[in-house]
Amino acid sequence: MGVKRLEKKLESVPDLPGVYLFHDSNGKVIYVGKARSLKKRIASHIKATDPSDKSYRIVKASSDFDYVVVRNEREALALEAELIKKHLPKYNVLMKDDKSYPFLLITDEPFPSVRLVRKTDNTSGRRFGPFIPAKNARLTMDLIHRLFRLRKCRELKKRERPCIQYHMERCCAPCCGYVSKKEYMEQVKGAISFLEGNVKAYLQSLYEHIEALAQRQEFERAAFLRDQFVAIKNLYEKYAVFMDEYKDCDIFYLEEKGGFFEGIHIIVRHGIIMGRENFSFDPFEPWDTETVRELFSGSGAGIDVIGSIWLKNYFENREVPPHIFANFVPVNLPLNVKPIPEEMFKVVLQNKKREKLHLNIDFEALSSEYESVFMDSFPERVEVFDISTLQGEATVASCVVWEKGRFVKKDYRRYRIKTVSGINDYASMEEVLTRRFRSIKEGKVKMPSLILIDGGVGQLNVAIRIKELFGLPFRVFSIAKREEIIYTDEGEVVETRKYPYLFRFFTVLRDEAHRFAITYNRHLRSKKLKKSIFDDVKGLGMKRRRIVEKFYPDIKELATVTVDELKQIGIPEKVAYRLIEKVREVYGE
């Protein structure tokens, strides 16, 4: 069925709430959607004309559509979720994946490593988590490598020389025999204590071990453990939240704003905040039991649930409590809910985000796709860098900033490359990133969540090296032109064309950085060219140059103007003639 036939069928679609399904030529469901008005929503798909728009691609791939009328939006939402899980349509990203929050795994090996895993991963070992948001898992894993130097390699092989992780002091090189198994397992024991939250007990035993080493005059080992002791102690004192009453709990808090609810879930283990998640929902949309159980998935045996719980439908005949949690928790869900302690309430409010996220694309679909591919939280702030040059002339770099759904033009920066002559993208990238990362380190620039480099593996390695030099925590990706492949600092290679939301997101960021860089490059070259041309025109002083630049910002325009036109803006006839002749000589007019 072509677009015209789809439009013809649209005439019989009612203006009522419901669920609609697009089918391909084989009758397979390729997209399921819900709508307050079926007629208007399906029409918006059919009328789409932008090839980059998902609606356009859906209609292009469709041969027919069908719909089901329901009584209200709540029924539409429930039916949509059911149909998506049943058909697994290719154009539906949400509700069909089995993404869950990440855990950290200490592997069950002779020389254990620490890995990032999902709930469904069957690798044997000790699990810790869940970590919310997902980036907390990566940050904690990075801390484990820095503090305890557990190996990063997937498979332990004997080496004659250690890898770069050893020289970066992120691994103690068991592959080269630089550490005994007994010493390595001491580090593993420390990492497990750290992840369990038993930091105080571990620090005490570590201190006693350092004293014993000093008495045996094993000063090198004692110095290493002393530095580790100081680092863990400082970190613990910075992030610990001591709770005498509830040391292991999940805290939930929700506020109502204009009929919607904005909430936060905070995970506390052994008195330390291990993670947090901000979320919101419409109280009149249905939430099934499995959704709620997933929300409480970290609240296992021995874990207290803190907060004011509002049972499903309870609000209909009861007074609304001052601190509401929700109206969707099923009555049969076995939870022993306790009120939020007063000393923790301030911490909850400090952690709760108050700003809203605005995007001109489907943020939920984009973030879901991002997190499932990269196993990391979707970045709130991204800085994108590009180098622009023409045969080594006027080499410049651009930095564009994307934050919370929009480009932040006031944070854009342009850099003139000062230390590199000729064409050398790597050296140029090194200069600009060194300048930028130093500003970030000194607190002059807001810390990004992700750095995106326009380039390949070479440019990525330059960025990683400089990031490590300054000890900065954000992630670094690069995007290769044409193939649109993302290379990550974890060694991942992602073909974004396989992921429609990631493809659009990363290419838009890259293209904006390229536009900003090339505009600056052209400006500098044009300025230089103007200067050289104007210098050769007798009688064209600074005052007359400014007049010409004001009326003709693009120097090429001067090749097509007449002497009379230049005379009208105050340029003498002889000077105007010389100027036009010179420009035509340069541009071959």
Side-chain angles (χ1 to χ4, degrees):
M1 182 179 289
V3 175
K4 289 185 177 180
R5 294 182 63 188
L6 292 177
E7 291 175 345
K8 184 70 175 176
K9 186 173 181 178
L10 180 64
E11 295 175 2
S12 62
V13 176
D15 189 12
L16 295 171
V19 175
Y20 56 95
L21 304 89
F22 279 97
H23 303 264
D24 63 14
S25 58
N26 297 319
K28 184 178 180 180
V29 176
I30 60 173
Y31 184 72
V32 176
K34 64 176 175 63
R36 183 179 302 173
S37 167
L38 285 168
K39 193 177 193 72
K40 293 177 181 177
R41 188 70 186 95
I42 296 174
S44 70
H45 284 288
I46 295 175
K47 293 177 181 178
T49 57
D50 184 357
S52 65
D53 189 350
K54 185 173 77 171
S55 293
Y56 178 88
R57 297 197 301 273
I58 291 171
V59 173
K60 201 74 175 173
S62 298
S63 178
D64 195 4
F65 70 83
D66 200 358
Y67 60 88
V68 179
V69 176
V70 296
R71 292 178 298 177
N72 52 51
E73 287 183 79
R74 288 192 293 173
E75 290 184 0
L77 179 68
L79 179 58
E80 179 198 33
E82 182 181 332
L83 291 174
I84 289 174
K85 290 174 183 177
K86 178 182 177 181
H87 296 289
L88 298 178
K90 65 179 290 188
Y91 288 103
N92 286 96
V93 176
L94 299 179
M95 300 186 196
K96 71 175 184 180
D97 66 341
D98 61 352
K99 180 179 72 66
S100 58
Y101 293 115
F103 292 74
L104 287 183
L105 176 78
I106 301 293
T107 59
D108 185 13
E109 299 173 282
F111 287 87
S113 64
V114 57
R115 297 181 189 172
L116 189 68
V117 297
R118 297 288 188 187
K119 186 191 296 184
T120 54
D121 195 302
N122 295 322
T123 309
S124 61
R126 293 193 61 177
R127 291 171 182 262
F128 301 89
F131 288 84
I132 303 174
K135 68 178 181 181
N136 282 3
R138 290 187 178 276
L139 291 173
T140 304
M141 184 171 65
D142 187 60
L143 279 174
I144 294 298
H145 288 303
R146 286 197 286 118
L147 295 176
F148 302 100
R149 300 188 184 181
L150 301 191
R151 64 184 181 88
K152 273 193 171 184
C153 50
R154 284 279 177 177
E155 185 180 354
L156 184 64
K157 297 180 180 180
K158 287 188 177 181
R159 290 169 169 262
E160 293 184 2
R161 296 179 180 177
C163 67
I164 191 172
Q165 296 298 325
Y166 172 78
H167 298 291
M168 292 169 58
E169 299 185 346
R170 301 294 179 90
C171 176
C172 49
C175 56
C176 297
Y178 288 5
V179 61
S180 68
K181 185 173 182 181
K182 180 181 178 182
E183 290 175 335
Y184 189 88
M185 293 309 295
E186 287 176 0
Q187 297 300 101
V188 173
K189 181 181 176 182
I192 291 173
S193 296
F194 182 82
L195 290 170
E196 287 179 336
N198 299 323
V199 181
K200 275 188 172 180
Y202 176 70
L203 286 175
Q204 181 61 35
S205 64
L206 184 60
Y207 180 79
E208 293 171 357
H209 187 37
I210 294 170
E211 290 288 309
L213 289 171
Q215 290 179 4
R216 296 199 300 266
Q217 296 187 353
E218 297 180 28
F219 298 117
E220 186 175 348
R221 180 67 179 165
F224 167 73
L225 294 180
R226 179 204 61 210
D227 294 341
Q228 186 183 83
F229 177 89
V230 172
I232 297 173
K233 184 174 182 293
N234 291 340
L235 186 75
Y236 180 70
E237 291 176 348
K238 180 179 180 181
Y239 291 107
V241 176
F242 298 98
M243 295 175 57
D244 296 330
E245 190 174 359
Y246 303 113
K247 291 184 179 294
D248 299 286
C249 65
D250 283 290
I251 301 173
F252 294 91
Y253 173 70
L254 219 84
E255 290 180 347
E256 189 219 2
K257 290 186 176 181
F260 287 81
F261 288 86
E262 295 179 355
I264 185 171
H265 171 203
I266 298 178
I267 295 178
V268 179
R269 299 293 183 265
H270 296 276
I272 301 176
I273 292 181
M274 300 295 288
R276 69 179 184 184
E277 177 188 29
N278 288 271
F279 57 93
S280 61
F281 68 93
D282 183 338
F284 291 100
E285 289 186 350
W287 286 69
D288 57 33
T289 304
E290 291 305 315
T291 301
V292 179
R293 289 187 186 279
E294 182 66 25
L295 185 63
F296 289 101
S297 61
S299 309
I303 304 299
D304 292 309
V305 178
I306 312 295
S308 297
I309 303 297
W310 195 4
L311 297 179
K312 190 172 185 178
N313 300 323
Y314 190 76
F315 67 95
E316 293 178 352
N317 51 20
R318 295 295 183 98
E319 184 179 351
V320 177
H323 299 318
I324 305 170
F325 167 59
N327 70 327
F328 58 76
V329 179
V331 179
N332 61 352
L333 194 65
L335 288 174
N336 181 22
V337 184
K338 303 171 184 179
I340 300 177
E342 193 63 34
E343 67 271 18
M344 280 304 299
F345 194 64
K346 294 179 181 178
V347 177
V348 170
L349 295 181
Q350 288 170 352
N351 278 278
K352 187 175 180 298
K353 294 182 180 179
R354 302 197 177 276
E355 67 276 0
K356 289 188 177 181
L357 198 61
H358 300 281
L359 284 175
N360 57 3
I361 56 177
D362 189 340
F363 171 73
E364 289 187 1
L366 171 62
S367 60
S368 176
E369 197 168 73
Y370 183 98
E371 290 174 7
S372 65
V373 171
F374 297 107
M375 291 185 71
D376 201 355
S377 298
F378 184 77
E380 287 193 357
R381 182 180 173 94
V382 183
E383 290 190 359
V384 193
F385 293 86
D386 185 26
I387 301 293
S388 180
T389 185
L390 181 63
Q391 298 178 349
E393 182 182 355
T395 303
V396 299
S398 68
C399 170
V400 304
V401 178
W402 182 94
E403 185 174 23
K404 299 176 181 177
R406 58 171 63 92
F407 288 105
V408 187
K409 298 292 182 73
K410 67 180 180 65
D411 289 348
Y412 281 24
R413 292 294 180 270
R414 289 165 167 163
Y415 296 88
R416 295 187 68 170
I417 303 303
K418 303 175 181 178
T419 62
V420 181
S421 58
I423 303 174
N424 192 330
D425 277 1
Y426 295 160
S428 299
M429 187 64 73
E430 180 175 2
E431 178 187 326
V432 68
L433 292 183
T434 300
R435 291 160 63 182
R436 183 68 173 183
F437 289 4
R438 183 180 291 113
S439 296
I440 294 172
K441 182 71 174 180
E442 293 172 355
K444 298 177 182 178
V445 178
K446 187 176 179 181
M447 183 75 69
S449 311
L450 172 68
I451 295 292
L452 180 65
I453 306 297
D454 185 1
V457 176
Q459 286 89 343
L460 176 67
N461 289 335
V462 170
I464 293 174
R465 178 164 52 81
I466 300 171
K467 185 197 81 164
E468 296 291 350
L469 179 66
F470 286 96
L472 297 169
F474 45 70
R475 298 202 67 189
V476 181
F477 293 177
S478 70
I479 179 170
K481 289 185 176 71
R482 296 186 181 90
E483 299 86 0
E484 310 300 351
I485 293 175
I486 291 289
Y487 299 95
T488 79
D489 48 10
E490 294 281 347
E492 300 161 300
V493 179
V494 178
E495 297 179 31
T496 60
R497 294 185 187 278
K498 295 181 179 179
Y499 306 97
Y501 291 95
L502 293 182
F503 175 78
R504 182 180 177 190
F505 178 65
F506 284 118
T507 53
V508 166
L509 293 183
R510 189 270 317 282
D511 291 347
E512 174 65 0
H514 182 67
R515 178 200 66 78
F516 196 54
I518 201 168
T519 301
Y520 189 38
N521 175 263
R522 286 171 179 166
H523 170 73
L524 292 182
R525 285 191 286 113
S526 176
K527 188 176 179 181
K528 183 178 180 181
L529 186 59
K530 280 181 182 178
K531 184 178 179 180
S532 62
I533 289 177
F534 292 166
D535 286 344
D536 294 336
V537 178
K538 186 178 178 181
L540 194 65
M542 289 305 301
K543 186 175 180 180
R544 289 172 179 169
R545 289 187 189 188
R546 294 191 187 101
I547 294 173
V548 173
E549 289 174 348
K550 180 180 178 181
F551 285 91
Y552 301 97
D554 185 355
I555 197 171
K556 289 183 179 180
E557 292 181 51
L558 292 170
T560 59
V561 301
T562 65
V563 172
D564 289 337
E565 288 175 320
L566 290 178
K567 285 173 63 178
Q568 290 175 8
I569 64 172
I571 306 299
E573 182 176 349
K574 289 184 179 180
V575 177
Y577 177 80
R578 295 190 195 110
L579 177 59
I580 294 171
E581 188 177 15
K582 183 63 180 178
V583 173
R584 289 178 177 175
E585 177 185 332
V586 171
Y587 287 98
E589 293 290 338

